[in-house]
């Protein structure tokens, strides 16, 4: 549904987006994850036909974003980061305007349908200037959906609204995946993890990693992370003991136990258990620690900056 | 074409949704009413009432009014960020600019129509030269379109409405003043060229005296088309930033 090939956007010598390639299948919710200034918005602006790419190409629903820009724009719903509205219009007038502009048949009924779906139908006569921030966000979403586009592109839809509304917006995005292909950007990792089928991590306009949240965690977790809790030994003694085991790279006190980071090798856990018992202590707990995307992300960013 | 129509309808709605549109209309009728009244009392027993009275007044007033009527149209879209949504809608940039221009011209046409009330008063008390008046109205209608197109252009250039208004007033004033410059140039050919380039050079000595000439129509249509063309290019340039 979305097929991006070596998409680039350069300003002078600065590459905002640098040879980006990815695909999104129909019905997939794909998250673009990256810190501010990573090139998320620029990528989205190219895909929505707002600005042309400097190099590379992309196809949306089979149409080229440069050669068939109008066809692409008909098939994309877009919510920019700072939800743009006309404050002096009514909720209904605003949505109907976008429906008409995008050539929706039966714009009035479609407007009511989409307002119903974002729970703004009873507010349809309200002037937009009187809406709360969360309502505006939902209005922006309604605007992006009124022409029932196969592809929906949302730029940081959860920024600046309260936690309850964040949860609602996440649920809406999740639900959109049933009928639409969704590309949405965020810099909050747990959000990407909750909402997306697939996450693409970008920084400095390049893809650092992509995959499902689960595979990303598996692939990128460098080495084994274990939580070990020992009784009968002082903290220092326990730490020394664990650090001596072959393959262990780092031991950090964590709560009443230790966070152990080690190279992946066979029988590591067996060795740890054996050594602890041999030293006359008791092994209370030994379990793998799953890294969150947060950790992976920071790790990736760190590695990139170091390289 | 659909895009032009949808944008046009929204903008016309915006003009009339705000009380400002009605205030402007009321102010216009107050000013032109006073002016008309003064002309009537002055004319009694000495000369016929001036047939092109209101159009002549507007030929100067539009230098300041056209920018005020148009400054919002594109500058606000840019400031509010709605331009980004408009430019990702399946309509051409030209359709957006054209729709906005037509809405401003439509509103101006309504304002102009309101001043017909003075003709109705004149008809009821005397026998005015209606042909002369109609020519002047057609002239000021085209003249107004050209000044509104200038306003649209500057509204496209900046996101600050005040700057947009100021710049278009400056350009319109130069186009208007050119007449005066033409009058003091001693080289006759050069003076004629300068005069042919100005807004009122194509109004005061033709439409305002009851003449409808193709060259004057072509001049206003040309200015309008040129300004709109540049405005469309400017809007398009938003995509390259």
């Amino acid at each position: 549904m979305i097929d991006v090939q070596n998409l680039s956007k350069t300003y002078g010598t600065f590459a905002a987006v640098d040879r980006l390639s990815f695909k999104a299948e129909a019905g997939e919710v794909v998250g673009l994850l990256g810190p501010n200034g990573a090139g998320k918005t620029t990528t989205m602006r190219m895909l929505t036909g707002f600005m042309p790419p400097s190099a590379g190409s992309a196809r949306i629903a089979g149409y080229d974003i440069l050669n068939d820009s109008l066809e692409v724009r008909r098939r994309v719903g877009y919510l920019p980061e700072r939800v743009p509205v006309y404050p002096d219009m009514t909720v209904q007038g605003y949505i109907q305007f976008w429906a008409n502009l995008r050539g929706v048949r039966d714009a009035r009924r479609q407007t009511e349908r989409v307002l119903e779906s974002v729970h703004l139908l009873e507010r349809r006569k309200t002037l937009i200037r009187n809406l709360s921030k969360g309502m505006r966000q939902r209005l922006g979403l309604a605007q992006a959906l009124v022409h029932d586009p196969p592809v929906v592109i949302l730029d940081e839809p959860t920024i600046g609204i309260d936690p309850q509304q964040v949860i609602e917006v996440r649920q809406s995005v999740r639900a959109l995946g049933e009928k639409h292909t969704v590309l949405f950007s965020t810099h909050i990792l747990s959000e990407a993890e909750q909402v997306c089928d697939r996450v693409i991590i970008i920084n400095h306009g390049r893809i650092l990693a992509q995959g499902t949240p689960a595979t990303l965690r598996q692939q990128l977790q460098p080495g084994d992370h274990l939580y070990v809790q020992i009784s009968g030994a002082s903290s220092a003694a326990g730490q020394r003991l664990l650090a001596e085991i072959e393959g262990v790279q780092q031991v950090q006190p964590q709560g009443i136990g230790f966070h152990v980071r080690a190279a992946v090798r066979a029988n590591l856990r067996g060795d740890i258990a054996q050594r602890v018992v041999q030293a006359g202590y008791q092994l209370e707990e030994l379990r793998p620690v799953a890294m969150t995307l947060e950790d992976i992300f920071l790790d990736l960013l760190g590695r990139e900056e170091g390289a | 074409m659909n895009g032009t129509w949808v944008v046009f309808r929204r903008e016309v709605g915006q003009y009339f949704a705000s009380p400002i549109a009605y205030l402007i209309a009321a102010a216009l009728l107050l000013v032109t009413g006073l002016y008309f009244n003064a002309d009537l009392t002055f004319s009694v027993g000495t000369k016929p009432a001036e047939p092109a009275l209101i159009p002549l007044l507007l030929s100067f007033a539009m230098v300041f009014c056209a920018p005020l009527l148009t400054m919002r149209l594109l500058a606000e879209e840019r400031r509010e960020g709605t331009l980004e949504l408009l430019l990702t809608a399946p309509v051409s940039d030209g359709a957006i600019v054209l729709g906005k221009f037509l809405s401003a011209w439509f509103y101006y046409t309504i304002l102009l129509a309101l001043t017909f009330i003075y003709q109705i008063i004149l008809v009821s008390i005397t026998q005015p030269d209606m042909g002369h008046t109609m020519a002047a109205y057609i002239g000021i209608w085209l003249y107004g379109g050209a000044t509104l197109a200038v306003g649209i252009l500057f509204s496209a250039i900046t996101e600050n409405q005040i700057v947009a208004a100021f710049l278009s007033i400056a350009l319109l004033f130069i186009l208007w003043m050119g007449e005066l410059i033409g009058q003091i140039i001693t080289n006759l050919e050069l003076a004629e060229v300068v005069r042919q380039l100005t807004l009122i050079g194509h109004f005061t000595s033709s439409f305002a005296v009851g003449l409808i000439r193709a060259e004057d129509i072509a001049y206003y249509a040309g200015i309008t088309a040129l300004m709109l063309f540049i405005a469309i290019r400017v809007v398009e340039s938003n995509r390259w930033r």
Side-chain angles (χ1 to χ4, degrees), chain A residues 53-74:
Chain A
S54 309
S57 68
R59 300 180 85 80
I60 287 187
Y63 292 96
D64 187 89
I65 54 165
L66 207 56
N67 298 326
D68 300 308
S69 180
L70 288 186
E71 292 299 325
V72 168
R73 292 190 232 163
R74 256 185 265 280

Side-chain angles (χ1 to χ4, degrees), chain A residues 16-163:
Chain A
V17 174
D18 193 5
R19 283 161 290 162
L20 213 61
S21 298
F22 65 89
K23 277 185 186 173
E25 302 303 328
E28 228 179 351
V29 178
V30 176
L32 271 185
L33 184 61
N36 295 326
K40 303 186 295 273
T41 298
T42 308
T43 304
M44 292 182 150
R45 282 182 165 175
M46 286 190 279
L47 293 180
T48 52
F50 176 68
M51 50 168 65
S54 309
S57 68
R59 300 180 85 80
I60 287 187
Y63 292 96
D64 187 89
I65 54 165
L66 207 56
N67 298 326
D68 300 308
S69 180
L70 288 186
E71 292 299 325
V72 168
R73 292 190 232 163
R74 256 185 265 280
R75 286 164 179 77
V76 172
Y78 177 38
L79 175 62
E81 184 175 340
R82 47 177 286 221
V83 186
V85 292
Y86 298 112
D88 291 324
M89 283 182 107
T90 62
V91 166
Q92 183 165 25
Y94 176 79
I95 297 299
Q96 211 159 317
F97 168 68
W98 291 112
N100 286 328
L101 203 59
R102 292 172 188 143
V104 174
R105 279 159 208 237
D106 204 359
R108 178 176 275 271
R109 251 211 16 236
Q110 195 68 3
T111 299
E112 282 176 11
R113 186 195 62 80
V114 77
L115 283 179
E116 173 110 65
S117 73
V118 297
H119 313 294
L120 280 174
L121 192 58
E122 68 282 12
R123 291 276 188 161
R124 64 184 182 276
K125 303 280 185 214
T126 312
L127 283 185
I128 294 175
R129 64 166 70 253
N130 299 328
L131 293 185
S132 71
K133 187 117 202 252
M135 286 180 189
R136 278 187 200 205
Q137 199 77 29
R138 299 211 300 266
L139 184 70
L141 202 58
Q143 165 277 126
L145 296 174
V146 70
H147 52 307
D148 203 15
V151 174
V152 181
I153 295 182
L154 311 169
D155 197 357
E156 307 237 3
T158 55
I159 250 179
I161 52 179
D162 71 47

Side-chain angles (χ1 to χ4, degrees), chain A residues 11 45 48-52 70 73-74 78 80 82 84-86 88-89 94 97-98 100-103 143, chain B residues 2-3 6-7 9-10 14 77 79-91 238-241:
Chain A
Y11 295 98
R45 282 182 165 175
T48 52
F50 176 68
M51 50 168 65
L70 288 186
R73 292 190 232 163
R74 256 185 265 280
Y78 177 38
R82 47 177 286 221
V85 292
Y86 298 112
D88 291 324
M89 283 182 107
Y94 176 79
F97 168 68
W98 291 112
N100 286 328
L101 203 59
R102 292 172 188 143
Q143 165 277 126
Chain B
N2 168 57
V6 175
V7 171
R9 258 191 4 209
R10 194 193 86 79
Q14 288 281 287
E77 298 269 4
R79 168 154 287 183
E80 298 293 325
T82 40
L83 192 61
E84 185 172 349
L85 271 185
L86 273 183
L87 292 183
T88 56
V91 291
N238 282 293
R239 299 180 183 280
W240 300 94
R241 287 170 201 172

